[in-house]
């Protein structure tokens, strides 16, 4: 049931990256993600935000998981591939299209149990070579921390020219209606190579707030891409070894 307060949130905070090997390199910048109730997409729509059509901001189903304009159908088909079932609570964390442009390095579908505990992360990762893969991460609650959930998955796609295609991602998640914390650690041959953290607080999804986000991040797609290339140049000048994508790293998988 849709009420005066949307079922969606906006998480705004910071992205922090730190590379450990072979040379240290770190940076930090402001960032945001939409936190979407996948069963209530219609309430995203307003004067500047549309579903599957052009607007200042929009969400297009074909950008994520499948080829259908029906977002739930795409999710159902994806879950079936991982032998999972649709849960009564699912949240989708992503960047929208802005002026019809988008690049999502990572979007996250969160699955919850009946007690609203997160059970799985389905992490959709895109690279700059046209590749896309979805990692299914089963979550477990940390024994000494009731608010943190952890999981791991094998890396299976080229993302950075300075990392191998293989490795292991370890995820840490803290999520509620007020805050979102996602940490991803990359290991290659048991060596800790990278930490990436998104740490944020929420604000309600309202027309006023999404309008603020639009003007604050209207060049977000350009900035995501340009910052990535800028950091890549810095790493190249530090003399890091360059790796190249495989053929299947240039295709949309799953």
């Amino acid at each position: 049931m849709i009420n005066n307060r949307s079922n969606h949130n906006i998480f705004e905070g910071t992205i922090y990256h730190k590379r450990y090997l072979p040379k240290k390199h770190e940076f930090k910048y402001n960032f945001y993600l939409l936190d979407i109730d996948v069963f209530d997409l219609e309430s995203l729509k307003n004067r500047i935000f549309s579903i599957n059509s052009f607007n200042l901001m929009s969400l297009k189903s074909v950008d994520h998981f499948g080829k259908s304009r029906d977002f739930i159908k795409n999710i159902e088909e994806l879950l079936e591939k991982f032998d999972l079932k649709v849960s009564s609570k699912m949240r989708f964390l992503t960047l929208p299209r802005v002026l019809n442009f988008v690049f999502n390095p990572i979007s996250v579908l969160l699955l919850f149990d009946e007690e609203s505990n997160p059970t799985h992360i389905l992490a959709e990762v895109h690279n700059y070579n046209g590749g896309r893969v979805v990692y299914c991460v089963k979550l477990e609650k940390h024994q000494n921390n009731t608010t943190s959930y952890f999981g791991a998955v094998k890396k299976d796609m080229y993302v950075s020219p300075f990392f191998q295609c293989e490795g292991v991602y370890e995820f840490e998640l803290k999520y509620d209606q007020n805050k979102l914390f996602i940490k991803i650690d990359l290991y290659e041959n048991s060596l800790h190579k990278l930490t990436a953290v998104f740490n944020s607080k929420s604000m309600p999804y309202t027309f006023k707030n999404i309008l603020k986000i639009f003007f604050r991040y209207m060049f977000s797609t350009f900035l995501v891409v340009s910052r990535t290339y800028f950091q890549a140049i810095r790493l190249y000048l530090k003399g890091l070894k360059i790796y190249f994508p495989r053929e299947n790293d240039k295709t949309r998988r799953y």
Side-chain angles (χ1 to χ4, degrees), residues 103-105 125-132 157-160 245 249-251:
F103 178 72
N104 274 302
V125 179
H126 290 88
N127 63 23
Y128 288 92
N129 306 91
R132 191 272 305 278
M157 189 180 74
Y158 173 93
V159 176
S160 166
D249 296 322
K250 303 174 185 179
T251 61

Side-chain angles (χ1 to χ4, degrees), residues 84-217:
L84 296 171
K85 295 181 179 180
V86 173
S87 61
S88 58
K89 179 181 178 181
M90 297 189 294
R91 311 292 299 190
F92 185 52
L93 309 173
T94 191
L95 286 174
R97 283 181 173 256
V98 178
L99 300 172
N100 208 36
F101 293 98
V102 71
F103 178 72
N104 274 302
I106 182 170
S107 297
V108 172
L109 180 68
L110 296 179
L111 274 59
F112 296 81
D113 61 21
E114 296 302 321
E115 286 75 41
S116 291
N117 298 309
T119 62
H120 294 82
I121 287 176
L122 277 80
E124 179 188 50
V125 179
H126 290 88
N127 63 23
Y128 288 92
N129 306 91
R132 191 272 305 278
V133 70
V134 179
Y135 296 109
C136 182
V137 184
K138 185 177 180 181
L139 297 173
E140 302 287 346
K141 187 179 291 187
H142 195 280
Q143 293 180 353
N144 300 320
N145 191 332
T146 59
T147 63
S148 294
Y149 294 82
F150 295 84
V153 66
K154 288 185 178 180
K155 181 183 178 183
D156 188 31
M157 189 180 74
Y158 173 93
V159 176
S160 166
F162 305 106
F163 286 133
Q164 301 178 42
C165 297
E166 296 81 17
V168 174
Y169 289 122
E170 291 189 358
F171 287 76
E172 179 182 357
L173 171 71
K174 298 178 183 178
Y175 172 91
D176 60 39
Q177 201 170 38
N178 299 313
K179 63 181 182 295
L180 169 67
F181 174 90
I182 298 178
K183 181 163 75 80
I184 304 173
D185 291 297
L186 172 64
Y187 292 85
E188 291 180 359
N189 300 317
S190 299
L191 297 175
H192 192 188
K193 289 295 189 75
L194 170 73
T195 293
V197 177
F198 177 56
N199 192 17
S200 64
K201 295 182 179 180
S202 74
M203 66 178 81
Y205 181 88
T206 63
F207 175 75
K208 181 179 179 180
N209 285 339
I210 197 65
L211 187 63
K212 288 180 180 178
I213 289 294
F214 170 74
F215 283 111
R216 197 174 295 161
Y217 296 96

Side-chain angles (χ1 to χ4, degrees), residues 48-60:
I48 70 165
F49 200 107
S50 296
I51 306 294
N52 291 325
S53 62
F54 176 79
N55 207 329
L56 298 183
M57 304 178 83
S58 59
L59 178 71
K60 286 196 173 182

